[in-house]
Amino acid sequence: MAEVTRRERLRAATELEIRQHAHRLLVQQGQDAVTLRAIARELGITAPALYRYYGSREDLLRRLGKDICTDLATELDGKLDSVGSDDHLTKVFTVCRGFRQWALAHPREFALVFASPTGEIGGDEQIRQDEFGSVFLGILGPLMAEGASLASSEQAPADIGPELATNQEALASAFSHEGIEMPPEALGPDAVHSLLRWWARLYGHVALEVFGRFPFDIRKADRLFESILSELAHEAGLGES
Amino acid sequence: MAEVTRRERLRAATELEIRQHAHRLLVQQGQDAVTLRAIARELGITAPALYRYYGSREDLLRRLGKDICTDLATELDGKLDSVGSDDHLTKVFTVCRGFRQWALAHPREFALVFASPTGEIGGDEQIRQDEFGSVFLGILGPLMAEGASLASSEQAPADIGPELATNQEALASAFSHEGIEMPPEALGPDAVHSLLRWWARLYGHVALEVFGRFPFDIRKADRLFESILSELAHEAGLGES
DNA sequence: TGAACTAAGTAAACGCCGTTCACACCGTAC
DNA sequence: GTACGGTGTGAACGGCGTTTACTTAGTTCA
């Protein structure tokens, strides 16, 4: 009956507990406080025991990042459901606002996942979507598939076409790798261009706001953020909401 | 004659050497390799001696960040001189391209200065322009003062006016704190809005590119970056270069 | 010139850290 | 019941930031 043995249950429970304590340490005291010894201390075991679960501290942090991404994606999906609108623009806005809201509420998680210089710089040639833009892709992808109207009006500059065409393949394979079916007609250069623009602006604003790195102290960036959304919508040929 | 004593000369030399070795370690091996002991080792002294120069490792890294910002600002100013054009748009483009180029060539420095979660999150109320947007302000400020035409065409959304008005004061004081004289007419809500937009997009694109965090692998982001510049210029009411 | 003072550097130590290794333990499987 | 493999331990290594007491050497001033 029990396909899972006692040991497997215990192992799963311990692994979960490790990640929970690691996450708590991250939230409460920041990335540097997520030490193997601290986690082990809270679990009532010794540090070397953690090596039965993760190859290194780096490994654990990577896994933690993935978990956080999953949480974020789940939260954004939830908001998308709860808003319950079929309007394309409303959905996109919901995701963008949700992302900003999440980042402001979880600055340390955001820093770990979205601003860690861990990724090797001149890195590998293959697609690197590990624990980052996959969230963006996973949410925006279906939206793009649903309404290819995104980027229907403002077309990408003519001379950028070939450049984006190659990216088009990479994007398609990234989507399929994520298990998302994308109709080819939704992946024209314009769509790719638009997607990149959304992501860069959204990320830029949110990162600057979370890190308090605007050139001066912005008291409330809500308005600025909304104006950015309006701009994007306008440029994408979607009516103002 | 020698107002500076022998000790002062030695001290200054040692301090310089410390920063040089720290910088080298950062460039070659990353932030984590910038340890007090490693620096001391290379200097042929012991680690505690460094405490005669810096209060802590954190202090040293902060100072290093400031140095890097100075270098960056100098480099951008140099490019601005060497391009030798009076065209406003050309100057702005030069700065933006220079910033991207610098970031790609100095990823570790970029990460230290522009993507370190060091800044306390919910931080202090005062202006925080420490070692970050000051570069942007310092370069773009004079450009804004010179040609208030920036943001002359595309006006900020009407409802964002009051919001930006308060930022206007903060921006003015930030400029004066940087020793930059800004004519008040160059600091209207539109200008502030435009400045923030430039900074957020520039930062967003560059950070994503440096960290390789676009949702998929962008082979050459040159074209995309240029299209972003074109967009910004277009929106700011400046003709294409 | 020589004595008082000050700043730079040292050695030792404390308490962290990640990681490795030999070893004990116990659930599992034959 | 015995052999095996996964789980946790304890000790240890080397490295880290930082503190403290101490030596050494440059400066200052009578």
Side-chain angles (χ1 to χ4, degrees):
Chain A
M1 183 180 297
E3 279 284 341
V4 292
T5 70
R6 165 181 169 79
R7 259 220 287 246
E8 282 169 329
R9 260 187 298 114
L10 287 182
R11 180 179 178 82
T14 304
E15 188 170 353
L16 181 64
E17 213 175 340
I18 291 173
R19 290 212 302 267
Q20 284 173 340
H21 280 98
H23 192 237
R24 203 178 56 74
L25 283 169
L26 172 69
V27 170
Q28 294 181 352
Q29 301 175 244
Q31 191 168 163
D32 289 347
V34 184
T35 75
L36 297 184
R37 293 189 129 104
I39 297 169
R41 223 175 287 131
E42 302 211 356
L43 276 171
I45 61 177
T46 61
L50 295 177
Y51 283 81
R52 302 292 176 189
Y53 298 88
Y54 301 95
S56 67
R57 176 175 182 264
E58 204 73 11
D59 264 23
L60 199 162
L61 285 179
R62 248 192 304 276
R63 179 59 203 260
L64 190 54
K66 274 189 187 280
D67 283 4
I68 291 171
C69 276
T70 305
D71 291 352
L72 170 57
T74 304
E75 186 174 321
L76 291 182
D77 273 330
K79 292 199 177 185
L80 215 43
D81 282 351
S82 79
V83 76
S85 167
D86 278 350
D87 180 33
H88 193 74
L89 188 63
T90 304
K91 287 183 177 179
V92 176
F93 275 17
T94 300
V95 171
C96 292
R97 292 197 187 103
F99 179 70
R100 169 172 176 257
Q101 204 171 320
W102 177 87
L104 290 175
H106 304 80
R108 295 223 160 97
E109 286 102 318
F110 178 84
L112 173 66
V113 176
F114 292 96
S116 283
T118 63
E120 317 78 42
I121 304 291
D124 34 10
E125 296 288 339
Q126 69 184 4
I127 299 169
R128 79 157 78 252
Q129 64 191 357
D130 339 53
E131 71 270 340
F132 201 65
S134 64
V135 177
F136 189 71
L137 272 191
I139 306 287
L140 263 294
L143 291 182
M144 279 179 66
E146 170 186 338
S149 60
L150 224 178
S152 63
S153 109
E154 174 123 344
Q155 74 282 11
D159 62 341
I160 209 177
E163 196 69 47
L164 288 182
T166 68
N167 292 332
Q168 190 174 340
E169 301 171 21
L171 184 56
S173 95
F175 271 126
S176 75
H177 188 270
E178 289 282 322
I180 301 169
E181 294 182 24
M182 288 293 293
E185 65 269 20
L187 279 179
D190 293 352
V192 175
H193 190 245
S194 214
L195 183 70
L196 292 177
R197 203 162 46 185
W198 276 84
W199 178 228
R201 294 196 200 174
L202 180 62
Y203 174 75
H205 177 98
V206 170
L208 288 177
E209 192 176 358
V210 170
F211 296 148
R213 300 297 206 179
F214 275 110
F216 51 90
D217 195 24
I218 292 203
R219 285 169 208 288
K220 285 180 184 173
D222 297 28
R223 291 304 237 298
L224 181 60
F225 186 73
E226 289 300 321
S227 99
I228 286 179
L229 289 186
S230 291
E231 282 171 20
L232 280 167
H234 184 260
E235 290 173 27
L238 303 172
E240 305 267 336
S241 85
Chain B
M1 181 182 298
E3 280 283 342
V4 291
T5 69
R6 165 180 169 77
R7 256 219 292 245
E8 280 168 329
R9 257 187 301 115
L10 287 181
R11 179 179 178 83
T14 304
E15 188 169 353
L16 181 64
E17 212 175 340
I18 291 173
R19 290 213 300 271
Q20 283 173 340
H21 280 99
H23 191 233
R24 203 178 57 74
L25 284 168
L26 173 68
V27 170
Q28 294 182 352
Q29 302 176 243
Q31 191 168 164
D32 289 348
V34 184
T35 74
L36 296 185
R37 293 189 129 106
I39 296 169
R41 224 175 287 131
E42 302 211 354
L43 276 170
I45 60 177
T46 61
L50 295 178
Y51 283 81
R52 303 288 175 190
Y53 299 87
Y54 300 94
S56 69
R57 175 173 182 266
E58 202 74 11
D59 264 24
L60 200 162
L61 284 179
R62 249 193 303 276
R63 179 60 203 261
L64 189 55
K66 274 188 188 282
D67 283 3
I68 291 170
C69 276
T70 305
D71 292 351
L72 169 58
T74 304
E75 186 174 322
L76 291 183
D77 273 330
K79 292 199 176 184
L80 215 44
D81 282 352
S82 79
V83 77
S85 167
D86 278 349
D87 180 32
H88 192 73
L89 188 63
T90 304
K91 287 184 175 178
V92 176
F93 276 16
T94 299
V95 172
C96 291
R97 292 197 187 103
F99 179 70
R100 168 170 176 259
Q101 204 170 320
W102 176 88
L104 290 174
H106 304 80
R108 297 221 159 99
E109 287 102 316
F110 178 84
L112 173 66
V113 176
F114 292 96
S116 282
T118 62
E120 316 80 40
I121 305 291
D124 34 9
E125 296 288 339
Q126 70 184 3
I127 299 169
R128 80 156 76 252
Q129 62 191 359
D130 340 52
E131 72 272 338
F132 200 66
S134 64
V135 177
F136 189 71
L137 272 191
I139 306 286
L140 264 293
L143 291 182
M144 280 180 64
E146 169 187 339
S149 61
L150 225 180
S152 63
S153 107
E154 173 123 344
Q155 74 281 12
D159 62 341
I160 209 178
E163 196 67 48
L164 288 182
T166 67
N167 292 332
Q168 191 175 337
E169 300 172 22
L171 185 56
S173 96
F175 271 127
S176 74
H177 188 269
E178 289 282 321
I180 301 168
E181 293 182 26
M182 286 294 292
E185 66 269 19
L187 279 180
D190 292 351
V192 175
H193 189 243
S194 215
L195 183 69
L196 291 177
R197 203 163 43 184
W198 276 83
W199 178 228
R201 293 195 201 176
L202 180 62
Y203 173 76
H205 177 98
V206 170
L208 287 178
E209 193 176 358
V210 170
F211 296 147
R213 299 297 205 178
F214 275 110
F216 51 90
D217 194 24
I218 291 204
R219 286 168 207 287
K220 286 180 183 173
D222 298 30
R223 292 304 235 302
L224 181 61
F225 186 72
E226 289 301 321
S227 98
I228 286 179
L229 289 187
S230 291
E231 282 171 21
L232 279 166
H234 184 258
E235 289 173 28
L238 304 172
E240 305 269 336
S241 82

